[in-house]
């Protein structure tokens, strides 16, 4: 692997003193790469611009922030989903502050993410977890926009995933294709699922939804050593909760 400092040093050395200069320049550049932990041209640009390198947990929330913003406006559902991810990861207060800062950083769309994702691709389990979190964020507002689909497709490619593999994960989080309708029975079922009533305040409904979502989050279940069947059941439960909350929110007309 040829790192940026090594290449720059070799090129500058060759221009000054031909092959011996290139060899010396490459050694000096390699020492600079190691000292500054430069692993790509993107890292070098970030160092020169003064932007801090991203940790893996920060990278996740940068991605989520970019997805939330890419179709125009960050909605309440996006914020709720980001908070749900923090709860599922059982983040400390300081880690949550970093995650919020990373989410806001992601909204700017300024970070070059290819090198980060290519490096993360060497960790298959972590890469899958990131893609699953991205799909949850995409479906947080009940729909998948064109810009969101384009981003996750590109990110999957950088992670080393085929397009069909990325798309296959979407089925675990896509809201069920059923009409929300005006059926009283369906509406009552949604209220019962969240443990609220038709007269509950929006804040109570939101809190009930978040609490249940955190309890049944598939990543939290998977982290406790559950079987594949239990994870699937948790995924189905999460989808039911999302559909119920969407139905109630639309019927009651609140965000």
């Amino acid at each position: 692997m040829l790192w940026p400092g090594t290449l720059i040093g070799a090129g500058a050395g060759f221009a000054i003193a031909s092959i011996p200069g290139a060899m010396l320049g490459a050694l000096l550049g390699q020492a600079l790469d190691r000292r500054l932990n430069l692993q790509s041209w993107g890292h070098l640009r970030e160092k020169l611009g003064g932007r801090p390198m991203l940790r893996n947990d920060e990278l996740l929330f940068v991605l989520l922030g970019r997805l939330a913003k890419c179709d125009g406006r960050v909605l309440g559902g996006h914020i709720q989903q980001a908070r749900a991810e923090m709860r599922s990861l059982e983040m400390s207060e300081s880690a949550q502050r970093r995650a919020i800062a990373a989410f806001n950083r992601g909204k700017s769309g300024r970070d070059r993410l290819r090198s980060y994702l290519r490096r993360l691709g060497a960790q298959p389990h972590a890469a899958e977890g990131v893609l699953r979190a991205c799909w949850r964020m995409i479906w947080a507002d009940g729909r998948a926009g064109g810009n969101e689909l384009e981003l996750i497709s590109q990110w999957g490619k950088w992670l080393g995933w085929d397009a069909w593999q990325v798309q296959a994960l979407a089925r675990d989080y896509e809201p069920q294709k059923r009409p929300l309708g005006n059926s009283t029975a369906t509406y009552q079922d949604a209220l019962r699922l969240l443990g609220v009533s038709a007269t509950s305040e929006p804040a109570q409904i939101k809190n009930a939804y978040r609490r249940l979502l955190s309890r049944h989050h598939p990543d939290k279940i998977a982290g406790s050593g559950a079987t594949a069947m239990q994870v699937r059941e948790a995924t189905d439960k999460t989808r039911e909760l999302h559909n119920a909350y969407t139905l109630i929110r639309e019927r009651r007309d609140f965000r």
Side-chain angles (χ1 to χ4, degrees), residues 44 59 71 137 164 208:
L44 178 60
L59 172 62
D71 276 335
M137 179 58 72
W164 69 267

Side-chain angles (χ1 to χ4, degrees), residues 38-175:
L38 298 178
Q39 300 180 29
S40 69
W41 293 105
H43 286 178
L44 178 60
R45 283 191 294 270
E46 288 185 356
K47 289 290 185 180
L48 293 176
R51 292 176 68 79
M53 300 291 291
L54 293 171
R55 299 159 38 138
N56 277 0
D57 57 343
E58 293 171 329
L59 172 62
L60 169 61
F61 284 92
V62 164
L63 296 172
L64 298 182
R66 184 169 295 188
L67 284 172
K69 180 67 174 177
C70 71
D71 276 335
R73 186 164 62 95
V74 178
L75 303 176
H78 296 132
I79 302 298
Q80 292 173 20
Q81 185 58 44
R83 289 173 177 164
E85 298 295 341
M86 293 181 205
R87 289 195 295 271
S88 72
L89 294 171
E90 299 182 345
M91 288 183 153
S92 64
E93 289 188 12
S94 60
Q96 289 183 41
R97 287 194 293 270
R98 288 197 305 271
I100 292 170
F103 185 84
N104 291 329
R105 175 172 169 173
K107 290 190 295 183
S108 72
R110 292 172 53 196
D111 285 284
R112 298 176 181 271
L113 301 170
R114 178 184 296 188
S115 60
Y116 289 111
L117 292 171
R118 283 185 170 174
R119 190 165 66 252
L120 186 65
Q123 307 171 49
H125 182 72
E128 180 177 346
V130 163
L131 286 173
R132 287 186 177 278
C134 286
W135 276 118
R136 289 193 291 270
M137 179 58 72
I138 287 174
W139 289 115
D141 59 355
R143 66 182 186 85
N147 291 333
E148 294 170 314
L149 295 177
E150 184 177 345
L151 280 176
I152 196 169
S153 176
Q154 182 63 74
W155 294 344
K157 182 178 179 180
W158 290 341
L159 286 166
W161 285 51
D162 292 329
W164 69 267
Q165 292 176 306
V166 176
Q167 190 60 42
L169 295 181
R171 292 193 291 269
D172 289 340
Y173 305 102
E174 182 177 2

